[in-house]
Amino acid sequence: MERLDSRTVYTNAWMTVREDRIRRPDGSTGIYGVVEKPDFALVLPRWAKGFWLVEQFRYPVGRRAWEFPQGSWGHGVRGGASALARQELAAETGLRAETVTHLGHLYEA
């Protein structure tokens, strides 16, 4: 796929949404929507009886849901993955991690 041009549709501190005009391998053209988000941490807090979850209201689905703590650095703030994971765990649960183990990398959007 080839990007022909791109325009920013929306931007805020948490994401940028852009629209790319593309050419597919067969020569046809189209629009591809792209959501760009900063690096984030998804924490799977494990304890003796299982995993710790947090309840969050999620506007797009219009309800509260149970999920693992997660988040990104604030605007203009940078740091390593381990520090971000520790910050999100403390902010959303009040817990402090004894150890942090990196499990992998995800593309959220």
Side-chain angles (χ1 to χ4, degrees):
M1 216 174 320
E2 175 189 6
R3 183 170 64 183
L4 303 174
D5 61 44
S6 182
R7 73 180 185 95
T8 298
V9 177
Y10 173 81
T11 189
N12 67 23
W14 301 278
M15 73 177 72
T16 296
V17 178
R18 71 172 208 260
E19 202 172 75
D20 292 353
R21 194 167 58 88
I22 54 102
R23 181 182 320 350
R24 296 180 187 92
D26 68 2
S28 66
T29 60
I31 299 292
Y32 204 95
V34 179
V35 178
E36 297 173 333
K37 297 190 72 141
D39 288 344
F40 69 100
L42 172 66
V43 185
L44 286 67
R46 185 175 52 137
W47 64 304
K49 296 183 180 183
F51 291 92
W52 194 280
L53 298 172
V54 293
E55 187 181 17
Q56 302 273 9
F57 178 78
R58 291 298 178 191
Y59 176 80
V61 295
R63 67 179 180 86
R64 296 184 73 75
W66 289 101
E67 58 189 44
F68 291 113
Q70 59 185 298
S72 59
W73 291 113
H75 184 67
V77 180
R78 297 274 183 236
S82 178
L84 178 55
R86 288 178 183 279
Q87 174 187 287
E88 287 304 313
L89 178 65
E92 295 191 14
T93 68
L95 299 173
R96 301 282 186 257
E98 191 172 292
T99 61
V100 174
T101 303
H102 184 266
L103 299 177
H105 185 87
L106 300 171
Y107 292 100
E108 180 182 22

